[in-house]
């Protein structure tokens, strides 16, 4: 059972699941592993998938899907001919609005009772052929479909126009930014239906069968952190002209020292004042010469 938010989302144990999810990566790190993990999670839960591929041939993507689930997934391949120039009557073109592309498929889009997950891989290719406002409008219409289980968007955040990426992030319930770290990690923004917003940085790993696993802090990692802390103290001490550390006897004496304010708070105290010779103790008004 996953305990992290990213594990719950990609293993489909987050209840309720985010209706729209945006997954981004960069040229330094690839997020396809997470994308395929989420698609396989839908297929394992008997949810049909309609997959729009704009960059990779469908045959290359199919090798990451389970063979027994092949009947539950349908591909819309526009990688080789995105605008339909090689066909007099193309069935699909990236110049068409996205909601029309998906609505025209027979898998149950647009009024069917069958639950379906929609995948757009990659969104930046769509924005090259359509106005950004039209893309946002189509995504909004798709996410509101009654039979839509989840709308999954995948793009490169260093390629997408910044204004468009910001608008897409605004309308999605979950945003996962994969980071170029070791071990793998991501920055997650999750908007709950209650209005609560979760912003976390989490680490994860992928198994051979593309399932997301949590990464727990092992003893060896804790030991290495302690060693790094000790090394940092030694380096800092070597760069100063005075001693920053304490001996064992000094540390014991420091811990046993009772500070004055602590002693007064626990035992009570009095204020003793001895007047000076020059102090004026007459009871006359000190301001009587001011004629106030």
């Amino acid at each position: 059972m996953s305990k992290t938010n990213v594990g719950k989302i990609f293993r489909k144990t987050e209840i309720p699941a985010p209706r729209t999810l945006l997954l981004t990566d960069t040229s330094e790190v690839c997020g396809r592993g997470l994308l395929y993990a989420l698609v396989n999670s839908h297929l394992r839960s008997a949810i049909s998938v309609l997959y729009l591929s704009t960059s990779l041939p469908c045959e290359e993507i199919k090798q990451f899907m389970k063979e027994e689930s092949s009947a539950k997934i349908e591909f819309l391949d526009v990688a080789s001919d995105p605008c339909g120039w090689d066909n007099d009557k193309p069935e699909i073109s990236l110049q068409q609005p996205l909601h029309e592309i998906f609505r025209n498929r027979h898998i149950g889009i647009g009024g069917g009772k069958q639950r379906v997950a929609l995948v757009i891989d990659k969104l930046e290719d769509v924005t090259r052929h359509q106005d950004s406002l039209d893309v946002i409008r189509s995504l909004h219409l798709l996410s509101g479909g009654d039979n839509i289980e989840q709308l999954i968007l995948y793009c490169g955040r260093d390629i997408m126009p910044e204004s468009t990426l910001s608008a897409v992030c605004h309308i999605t319930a979950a945003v996962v930014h994969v980071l170029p770290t070791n071990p793998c990690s991501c920055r997650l923004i999750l908007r709950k239906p209650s209005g609560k917003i979760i912003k976390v940085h989490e680490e994860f790993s992928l198994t051979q069968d593309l399932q997301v696993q949590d990464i727990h802090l092992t003893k060896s990692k804790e030991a290495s952190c302690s060693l790094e802390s000790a090394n940092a103290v030694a380096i800092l001490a070597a760069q100063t002209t005075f001693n920053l550390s304490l001996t064992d006897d000094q540390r014991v004496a420091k811990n046993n020292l009772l500070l004055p304010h602590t002693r007064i708070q626990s035992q009570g105290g009095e204020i003793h004042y001895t007047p000076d010779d020059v102090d004026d103790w007459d009871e006359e008004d000190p301001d009587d010469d001011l004629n106030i």
Side-chain angles (χ1 to χ4, degrees), residues 123-274:
L123 187 60
E124 65 263 30
D125 293 332
V126 180
T127 60
R128 294 191 183 101
H129 300 278
Q130 299 184 31
D131 184 77
S132 297
L133 293 178
D134 293 334
V135 173
I136 298 299
R137 178 177 176 271
S138 290
L139 296 178
H140 182 71
L141 291 174
L142 288 172
S143 63
D146 293 336
N147 62 325
I148 302 302
E149 177 72 16
Q150 190 174 54
L151 175 62
I152 306 168
L153 312 173
Y154 176 47
C155 73
R157 62 180 178 273
D158 53 352
I159 301 176
M160 278 274 289
E162 185 175 350
S163 59
T164 305
L165 180 61
S166 177
V168 175
C169 291
H170 182 72
I171 66 171
T172 51
V175 181
V176 181
H177 297 308
V178 184
L179 305 176
T181 58
N182 187 18
C184 301
S185 67
C186 66
R187 188 169 67 254
L188 170 67
I189 303 174
L190 177 61
R191 298 179 178 90
K192 297 276 193 176
S194 61
K196 180 180 179 181
I197 299 179
I198 299 175
K199 296 182 179 181
V200 292
H201 176 276
E202 294 180 340
E203 296 181 347
F204 64 91
S205 63
L206 285 175
T207 62
Q208 292 292 333
D209 58 346
L210 293 178
Q211 294 193 40
V212 177
Q213 284 188 337
D214 300 343
I215 292 182
H216 302 286
L217 188 65
T218 61
K219 292 183 178 180
S220 60
K221 189 171 182 180
E222 291 176 350
S224 64
C225 292
S226 300
L227 180 59
E228 289 178 0
S229 178
N231 292 337
V233 173
I235 293 173
L236 181 60
Q239 293 176 345
T240 59
T241 58
F242 49 89
N243 189 10
L244 295 175
S245 59
L246 299 174
T247 64
D248 292 339
D249 294 339
Q250 290 172 336
R251 189 173 293 105
V252 171
K254 176 185 176 183
N255 294 334
N256 293 333
L257 178 63
L258 185 62
L259 298 177
H261 68 275
T262 304
R263 183 177 65 254
I264 291 174
Q265 289 175 356
S266 60
Q267 301 175 0
E270 297 179 354
I271 299 177
H272 299 278
Y273 175 72
T274 302

Side-chain angles (χ1 to χ4, degrees), residues 43 62 65-75:
L43 296 176
K62 285 180 181 178
M65 309 299 165
K66 299 293 184 180
E67 292 184 4
E68 58 270 19
S69 303
S70 58
K72 302 176 185 176
I73 185 169
E74 180 181 353
F75 287 95

Side-chain angles (χ1 to χ4, degrees), residues 2 19 21 28 44 48 54 60 96 112 114 122 127 135 141 205 212 221 227 231 241 254 292:
S2 179
R19 193 67 177 271
L21 182 142
E28 297 178 320
R44 281 192 294 268
S48 298
T54 67
E60 186 173 339
Q96 296 175 258
Q114 183 181 10
K122 286 185 144 185
T127 60
V135 173
L141 291 174
S205 63
V212 177
K221 189 171 182 180
L227 180 59
N231 292 337
T241 58
K254 176 185 176 183
I292 298 177

Side-chain angles (χ1 to χ4, degrees), residues 74-114:
E74 180 181 353
F75 287 95
L76 309 178
D77 190 354
V78 292
S80 59
D81 187 18
C83 296
W85 291 342
D86 297 335
N87 193 331
D88 293 337
K89 296 182 179 180
E91 294 184 3
I92 306 171
S93 170
L94 289 185
Q95 294 177 334
Q96 296 175 258
L98 286 171
H99 63 281
E100 292 185 2
I101 293 176
F102 287 109
R103 185 171 55 193
N104 294 333
R105 307 308 298 178
H106 65 274
I107 201 168
I109 306 300
K113 296 182 179 180
Q114 183 181 10

Side-chain angles (χ1 to χ4, degrees), residues 7-14 17 38 41-42 45 47 149:
K8 293 177 181 178
I9 290 175
F10 285 88
R11 294 177 69 90
K12 287 188 92 285
T13 58
E14 174 72 21
L38 183 55
S41 293
H42 281 290
S45 58
I47 300 297
E149 177 72 16

